[in-house]
Amino acid sequence: MKNIKSDIIGLFGGTFNPPHLGHVKAAKAYREQVCGDGLIVMPSHRPPHKLIEDGSPTAKQRLELCFLAFGEIGEISDYEINRDSVSYTYNTVKHLEKIFPNKKISLYIGTDMLFYFEKWYNFEYLLENATLAVASRTGEVDNSFIQECDRLRKKYGANIILLELEPEIISSTEIRELIKNGGKAENFLPAAVYDYIKKNGLYSPEPKG
Ligand code: ATP
């Protein structure tokens, strides 16, 4: 890993199946507002909380898609996809703490993950040892995620930052569905990601090759 100047390592993890413009916009805001050149984008190997559907890219292809989407913005790490086991953020944070003993760790999460955070493996450790950077995915008007941040702060002493970000209201699930149904996904994807998906016949109902 290159020499990182920032005092903060920012872990932007996800399935990235595929990475979309919402991810890229959030990663840029995270870089600018929190972690600078300490941004590490890390596709997960086998996410504990969601099943990977048939017809999805391999882990290696998701890694390649991440290089195409985020290569100009941050470091792309193959640490989790190379682990032959379920990827828990806890294990990854312990790993990062070993590599960067003098830096602080931050975790990027969208609001969907925030409401689920207490189900994460060893979440108390994460809240004690890392800062959460939270971005709204939908621009919720009821501010329920702000209340959730306050609740986690009060209950666990969590250190939580809210990112300033006008959300792109899109998910990988919607993009997969769109492609499967022959819709126009290019408006939601970085051009290089779209080209790669097309070239490799990913998510497509047509037989590959
Ligand atoms: P899926 O639809 O397959 O569940 P996803 O679009 O939620 O995928 P992930 O790879 O699970 O994407 O997301 C990785 C991280 O990026 C998570 O913290 C998630 O909350 C966040 N994220 C996903 N989409 C957006 C978006 N449109 N804006 C901001 N953050 C997002």
Side-chain angles (χ1 to χ4, degrees), residues 12-23 25-26 49-50 53 108-114 120 135-138 165 167-174 176:
F12 194 114
T15 319
F16 302 121
N17 182 28
H20 53 67
L21 289 178
H23 292 132
K25 190 167 174 184
H49 57 281
K50 60 174 91 159
E53 297 160 20
Y108 169 86
I109 53 169
T111 36
D112 54 321
M113 298 281 171
L114 177 73
W120 286 26
S136 166
R137 287 190 60 170
T138 59
L165 174 67
E168 294 290 328
I169 303 174
I170 188 68
S171 70
S172 298
T173 304
E174 289 168 303
R176 292 195 298 275

Side-chain angles (χ1 to χ4, degrees), residues 80-98:
E80 288 193 2
I81 69 160
N82 283 340
R83 276 173 66 95
D84 195 20
S85 59
V86 165
S87 15
Y88 287 118
T89 302
Y90 168 77
N91 298 118
T92 304
V93 166
K94 295 293 270 183
H95 169 72
L96 291 173
E97 284 172 344
K98 258 190 217 137

Side-chain angles (χ1 to χ4, degrees), residues 3-119:
N3 209 2
I4 290 172
K5 291 196 205 86
S6 170
D7 291 336
I8 300 176
I9 298 298
L11 177 62
F12 194 114
T15 319
F16 302 121
N17 182 28
H20 53 67
L21 289 178
H23 292 132
V24 174
K25 190 167 174 184
K28 282 182 180 161
Y30 186 38
R31 183 187 166 102
E32 275 163 26
Q33 295 170 41
V34 178
C35 56
D37 70 344
L39 174 64
I40 298 178
V41 176
M42 196 182 293
S44 55
H45 180 57
R46 267 185 257 150
H49 57 281
K50 60 174 91 159
L51 294 170
I52 297 202
E53 297 160 20
D54 286 346
S56 292
T58 62
K60 199 165 158 270
Q61 283 178 316
R62 285 188 294 110
L63 183 69
E64 283 174 31
L65 287 169
C66 285
F67 273 103
L68 296 174
F70 307 105
E72 308 274 295
I73 310 170
E75 285 282 315
I76 315 298
S77 167
D78 61 2
Y79 174 73
E80 288 193 2
I81 69 160
N82 283 340
R83 276 173 66 95
D84 195 20
S85 59
V86 165
S87 15
Y88 287 118
T89 302
Y90 168 77
N91 298 118
T92 304
V93 166
K94 295 293 270 183
H95 169 72
L96 291 173
E97 284 172 344
K98 258 190 217 137
I99 305 182
F100 304 106
N102 300 318
K103 296 195 191 280
K104 296 192 180 104
I105 307 288
S106 156
L107 303 175
Y108 169 86
I109 53 169
T111 36
D112 54 321
M113 298 281 171
L114 177 73
F115 289 102
Y116 189 76
F117 199 78
E118 282 165 302
K119 298 223 165 28

Side-chain angles (χ1 to χ4, degrees), residues 114-129:
L114 177 73
F115 289 102
Y116 189 76
F117 199 78
E118 282 165 302
K119 298 223 165 28
W120 286 26
Y121 179 60
N122 279 352
F123 75 94
E124 290 104 329
Y125 181 90
L126 297 176
L127 292 180
E128 261 170 47
N129 294 281

